[in-house]
Amino acid sequence: MSEAASLRAEPGAPRLLSGRTRVVGVFGDPVEHSLSPAMQNAALAALGLDWVYVPFHVKPAELPTAVRAIVSLGLVGVNVTVPHKVAVMDLLDEVDEEARLIGAVNTIVNRDGRLVGYNTDGLGFLQSLEEQAGRDPRGAEILVLGAGGAAQAIACSMAMRGAARVTIANRSLAKAQALAERIRPYAPAEWTSLSTDDPAFLKALRRAEIIVHTTTVGMHPHDDQPPIVPAELLEPSALVCDIVYRPRETTLIQAARARGCPVLTGEGMLAYQGAVALRLWTEMEPPATVMLATLTAQLAERPSERP
Ligand code: ATR
């Protein structure tokens, strides 16, 4: 039996802390709007673990001290969110290969005092794609819209999972090129980068089997901002994914629905990146359905708050 399993509380028991309660959490600045505590605590309760997930408001200057405290206080691990995802990398004992490639860490595991960093964003997206949309990127033509941190995580995971071609299309070409060049040597796929102003972008749209939107266009409070790709340019057979989850029905998702495309909305990636982190900490199968349901309820209750 794993150590985690031996610390199970009675299923359905009130969440009282005990002398054995183990702690996970999230480091962020700000952190008060994070949806992770509700989602992760619901998951820990569903697993029947005597664990608690706590938000920690960590200012940038305090990050090194806070990271050392993971070991001194015996935390199982933490999530790391804005603005610490890049800075934290230099403070760890080891960084997993995919996180190094992505250039950011969002999950730390305390392995007997050794701090190991992971990035679960890309895997979270992949699991959402597989579980919710029933799609496998193997051999597929992928078009990623945007070239920021989220695009990098998603492109990297798709290529590592066996996508045939990954096209990065971004407003600024230089950023798309830099992303493709950075990952190309490590992930066996055909890489193409282009500007969304390039006529070749239309060809990429026609060819794409899976389109993933990763920019901030249409994100709350800009809910009505027109999508990067208008409905008439979407092929009805393409799966259109938007990682923006606030609002859930972004202008791109609305355009894709109007065009008859299958769609994948953004809350799934958020839930599954949390589920992948929970699996790293507990070595147990995370209750993804509970996590997704809690997150969806939180988003409905707190429609305008930032994550
Ligand atoms: P994150 O790390 O959350 O993915 P980011 O690194 O700030 O976010 O990246 C934001 C992405 O949204 C970039 O691809 C950006 O395009 P540029 O590289 O050209 O700046 C894109 N983006 C933001 N606003 C945009 C807009 N109005 N039109 C098109 N793309 C936009």
Side-chain angles (χ1 to χ4, degrees):
M1 198 197 300
S2 71
E3 192 187 355
S6 71
L7 293 176
R8 274 163 189 252
E10 282 297 307
R15 305 280 335 277
L16 295 177
L17 305 186
S18 76
R20 291 167 182 268
T21 303
R22 304 198 65 192
V23 180
V24 278
V26 53
F27 289 179
D29 177 28
V31 80
E32 62 265 34
H33 300 293
S34 174
L35 298 165
S36 294
M39 176 173 78
Q40 295 287 4
N41 282 311
L44 293 170
L47 288 173
L49 290 174
D50 183 7
W51 288 35
V52 64
Y53 184 101
V54 184
F56 293 103
H57 187 177
V58 176
K59 297 244 165 77
E62 299 298 333
L63 186 64
T65 321
V67 168
R68 280 197 299 278
I70 297 172
V71 177
S72 47
L73 298 177
L75 308 191
V76 178
V78 291
N79 282 133
V80 180
T81 186
V82 178
H84 304 312
K85 287 181 172 193
V86 178
V88 81
M89 295 179 76
D90 288 338
L91 304 171
L92 304 175
D93 297 304
E94 190 183 329
V95 176
D96 156 82
E97 188 194 352
E98 187 167 328
R100 242 182 299 132
L101 211 48
I102 293 167
V105 157
N106 76 342
T107 303
I108 298 171
V109 181
N110 176 3
R111 295 225 161 86
D112 300 321
R114 229 183 120 66
L115 297 180
V116 187
Y118 296 87
N119 190 309
T120 68
D121 285 336
L123 246 184
F125 178 77
L126 270 183
Q127 293 214 343
S128 168
L129 184 71
E130 290 172 357
E131 305 278 329
Q132 297 182 287
R135 294 289 285 266
D136 183 339
R138 259 172 289 205
E141 288 263 355
I142 315 289
L143 173 60
V144 177
L145 304 172
Q152 186 138 326
I154 289 168
C156 187
S157 299
M158 297 280 238
M160 283 180 150
R161 187 58 70 98
R165 184 202 301 267
V166 181
T167 300
I168 312 291
N170 194 43
R171 179 174 58 180
S172 79
L173 174 62
K175 228 166 137 186
Q177 282 172 331
L179 194 167
E181 290 312 313
R182 189 176 149 84
I183 309 178
R184 191 197 303 269
Y186 305 96
E190 267 200 59
W191 289 87
T192 310
S193 42
L194 44 84
S195 158
T196 41
D197 294 331
D198 189 324
F201 180 48
L202 298 180
K203 219 189 280 174
L205 278 170
R206 276 199 298 274
R207 216 173 39 205
E209 294 163 272
I210 301 174
I211 299 172
V212 191
H213 174 247
T214 70
T215 83
T216 48
V217 173
M219 188 187 286
H220 185 80
H222 307 292
D223 303 37
D224 297 329
Q225 197 174 4
I228 288 185
V229 183
E232 61 274 17
L233 295 184
L234 293 168
E235 289 292 327
S237 60
L239 170 68
V240 177
C241 315
D242 199 335
I243 69 161
V244 173
Y245 53 85
R246 218 176 227 138
R248 187 169 190 261
E249 293 288 313
T250 59
T251 48
L252 178 65
I253 291 291
Q254 290 171 34
R257 285 196 201 279
R259 190 76 173 142
C261 301
V263 299
L264 181 64
T265 51
E267 75 286 354
M269 174 177 169
L270 193 60
Y272 281 97
Q273 62 76 31
V276 176
L278 190 59
R279 187 187 294 122
L280 285 169
W281 295 322
T282 63
E283 295 175 2
M284 294 168 79
E285 193 48 36
T289 316
V290 171
M291 298 177 85
L292 192 56
T294 308
L295 189 62
T296 306
Q298 286 284 309
L299 285 167
E301 262 175 47
R302 299 152 61 183
S304 61
E305 279 186 14
R306 296 199 307 118

